Amino acid sequence: MKGSVRASLLESLPAATRAAVEALAAAAARRAFAVHMVGGPVRDHLLGRGVHDADLIVEDRIPGAALELARDALATAKITAHGRFGTVRIELAETRIDLATVRSEHYPHAGALPIVAAGDLEADLRRRDFSVNALAVPLTPAAGRGRPAVVDVCGGQGDLEKKVLRILHERSFHDDPTRALRAARLAARLGFSLSRGSRAALRDALRDGAFGRVSGDRLRRELEKLFEDASRGVDAALALRMLEEWHVLPALEPGLRLPRTAIAPLRRLGRWLAAPPWPAAKLRRLGAALAVWLAPLDAGLRLRTLERLSLRGELRDRIVAFPKLRDSAFRDLARARGRGAIDAALGRLGDEELLAVLAYAGPTPRRRIVRYAAEDRPRRIPVNGDDLLALGLSGPLVGKALARVRAGMLDGVVRSREDALVLAHELARRKPPRLRKGAPSP
Ligand code: ATP
């Protein structure tokens, strides 16, 4: 039995990850180091879910042990050490492995980053967020000595069966309120709920104002992870609804909620983030998701929420302005006759804005938006600004003529470079005559 959890866990890994983990375990065994698989991969394996990335810890407190192991076992990998927590990230072509050194943590004050000290495996498991994440599977003989096949010091296996997320001590949310956001994300992903005791502890942390002490950057990073998960099929609207039910949203910003009218659009957006309906470049998921979530709220609350999340600059301004942009896009679309006019109506929107507009669109505009983004937007017109300058056009007329040629091409009137030049020529002939200096005005 003892070996079988280890063996089946390794078997469940994608081939490249498994090969890398086995190489690390072999190098660790040669040095009699204790190495364990911990956290998410163990939880997901015991639940029978797919495991992708590997999280490992080295129990030996030799400074630099993790780095030395990684370099020894996987010389060709990109290896990055993060000094503060003694963790090492190993990146191979198809896989990523985090290798940490056991540690314990304590929090100088609620919401602060933890102070890290050396610890043993059991202390490392006890510093974690939920019992189902406080599980380890020993991978090397030194790690397994005197221990069961699954090291479970907090009752995580029982909670996996009960499908509950349970914090490990009653001030856990005081120490790190972002755990509430992690709870909502995990609960939505796994179909779990927060245990009664943990709900009570969360209420206490809310009452004591713990959320007010967390930086906007940390909150934003957790929301980013939530919307990352949405692109892997997790229902972000469900997670946000839990945060609302737990009274966490108004603790982030007074009045913040999940408007009912945003739920269906958020779900649609989640599906499209997982499988974009057109070939999109790398999407800023957080931007698209915040635009959709916050659109029904009033502009002041939208701005305050984004400021609370320390979101600044152009992205913040675009999310604040999104509802106006969406409404004017719908108006222009309703008036647009032909593909050229649709292109003109949507041309100023980036991929994230288009997806966010799409999430609020009814069936007809939805078809038009997808056809525009997938088929028309990538098309290039057969003439450029220099061609038009050569025909005698100048100033703003060049831009106007390029737009006319583009609309003509999408409407099927301009089929070749010659057609485009003829159209431009006509526009050049129609251009108003320049007034001679000193001539009387008409
Ligand atoms: P995923 O499947 O999304 O990778 P994960 O559970 O592996 O989820 P990570 O964010 O990669 O989550 O974190 C790795 C482990 O570190 C978790 O399993 C958890 O035990 C621990 N952890 C992460 N964040 C916290 C936190 N804020 N407080 C306590 N433990 C944490």
Side-chain angles (χ1 to χ4, degrees):
M1 176 63 202
K2 190 164 177 167
S4 70
V5 177
R6 177 189 184 279
S8 63
L9 172 60
L10 290 176
E11 258 165 44
S12 71
L13 296 170
T17 316
R18 177 183 175 176
V21 170
E22 283 179 341
L24 282 165
R30 280 197 297 275
R31 288 154 202 252
F33 280 176
V35 170
H36 306 257
M37 182 81 79
V38 282
V42 176
R43 173 199 72 214
D44 289 343
H45 175 62
L46 294 175
L47 285 171
R49 298 170 64 92
V51 177
H52 303 287
D53 299 326
D55 277 331
L56 303 180
I57 48 173
V58 191
E59 213 175 334
D60 303 69
R61 286 179 231 149
I62 301 163
L67 187 58
E68 197 187 306
L69 258 187
R71 287 198 176 132
D72 178 15
L74 301 162
T76 60
K78 181 178 169 213
I79 297 169
T80 329
H82 300 280
R84 186 155 183 240
F85 296 134
T87 48
V88 173
R89 170 151 294 182
I90 303 163
E91 287 167 89
L92 288 146
E94 294 164 53
T95 188
R96 200 187 75 195
I97 296 172
D98 284 327
L99 178 62
T101 305
V102 283
R103 62 185 197 246
S104 65
E105 289 173 348
H106 79 269
Y107 290 77
H109 64 81
L113 282 174
I115 291 178
V116 179
D120 58 9
L121 174 70
E122 283 70 16
D124 193 293
L125 295 177
R126 285 198 184 91
R127 76 176 169 83
R128 288 169 188 259
D129 45 4
F130 308 109
S131 65
V132 297
N133 285 340
L135 295 166
V137 169
L139 296 183
T140 60
R145 205 159 294 135
R147 290 198 174 109
V150 178
V151 184
D152 176 7
V153 283
C154 306
Q157 292 178 100
D159 288 338
L160 280 179
E161 268 171 34
K162 286 185 253 160
K163 291 177 172 281
V164 296
L165 296 175
R166 189 167 49 78
I167 50 168
L168 306 186
H169 60 92
E170 62 186 23
R171 294 198 54 90
S172 180
F173 289 121
H174 285 80
D175 285 347
D176 182 357
T178 67
R179 288 173 182 159
L181 279 74
R182 290 180 59 80
R185 178 163 69 89
L186 263 185
R189 193 197 308 171
L190 304 177
F192 279 30
S193 56
L194 195 56
S195 76
R196 281 169 70 112
S198 304
R199 289 276 297 265
L202 178 55
R203 275 195 297 276
D204 290 348
L206 285 161
R207 185 204 56 213
D208 296 342
F211 284 82
R213 295 189 281 270
V214 186
S215 74
D217 284 339
R218 296 196 63 213
L219 294 173
R220 193 187 61 248
R221 276 201 292 275
E222 283 304 329
L223 286 176
E224 238 158 16
K225 287 193 201 163
L226 173 61
F227 298 126
E228 276 294 312
D229 271 17
S231 68
R232 299 191 196 114
V234 173
D235 183 357
L238 178 60
L240 291 175
R241 200 151 72 189
M242 289 187 219
L243 288 172
E244 184 176 69
E245 263 171 42
W246 300 342
H247 306 289
V248 169
L249 293 185
L252 303 184
E253 180 58 39
L256 182 60
R257 59 196 170 84
L258 173 63
R260 294 297 163 258
T261 48
I263 291 176
L266 261 179
R267 293 209 164 116
R268 283 196 283 270
L269 178 74
R271 285 200 293 277
W272 292 322
L273 288 176
W278 57 79
K282 195 171 162 32
L283 290 166
R284 287 183 300 184
R285 299 190 174 96
L286 181 73
L290 285 174
V292 170
W293 168 18
L294 304 178
L297 302 175
D298 74 66
L301 179 54
R302 207 157 46 240
L303 179 62
R304 287 194 299 281
T305 302
L306 297 172
E307 282 179 345
R308 175 66 183 101
L309 299 175
S310 300
L311 210 79
R312 283 177 270 269
E314 194 215 336
L315 185 58
R316 182 198 64 182
D317 297 344
R318 292 180 86 118
I319 298 170
V320 172
F322 171 71
K324 273 197 185 140
L325 186 86
R326 173 198 61 188
D327 296 346
S328 80
F330 285 152
R331 266 196 310 275
D332 293 349
L333 266 184
R335 277 200 292 263
R337 299 284 166 263
R339 296 171 80 147
I342 293 175
D343 179 84
L346 300 175
R348 66 212 147 107
L349 307 187
D351 272 316
E352 291 86 0
E353 282 160 336
L354 265 182
L355 278 180
V357 169
L358 188 68
Y360 276 101
T364 305
R366 199 179 300 162
R367 270 195 302 276
R368 292 176 135 195
I369 294 169
V370 172
R371 190 182 60 187
Y372 155 76
E375 297 172 25
D376 293 350
R377 191 174 53 160
R379 292 184 64 189
R380 294 288 160 257
I381 56 171
V383 288
N384 60 27
D386 288 341
D387 296 324
L388 303 193
L389 289 172
L391 286 177
L393 286 164
S394 59
L397 265 184
V398 174
K400 257 192 195 157
L402 287 172
R404 287 283 296 277
V405 170
R406 183 168 177 82
M409 177 186 74
L410 295 174
D411 289 336
V413 182
V414 171
R415 293 197 184 83
S416 63
R417 180 171 158 82
E418 284 64 43
D419 288 350
L421 288 172
V422 169
L423 176 60
H425 192 68
E426 251 172 51
L427 295 170
R429 276 195 312 157
R430 267 191 257 149
K431 78 176 173 183
R434 279 225 187 101
L435 291 179
R436 263 179 294 116
K437 242 194 182 157
S441 31

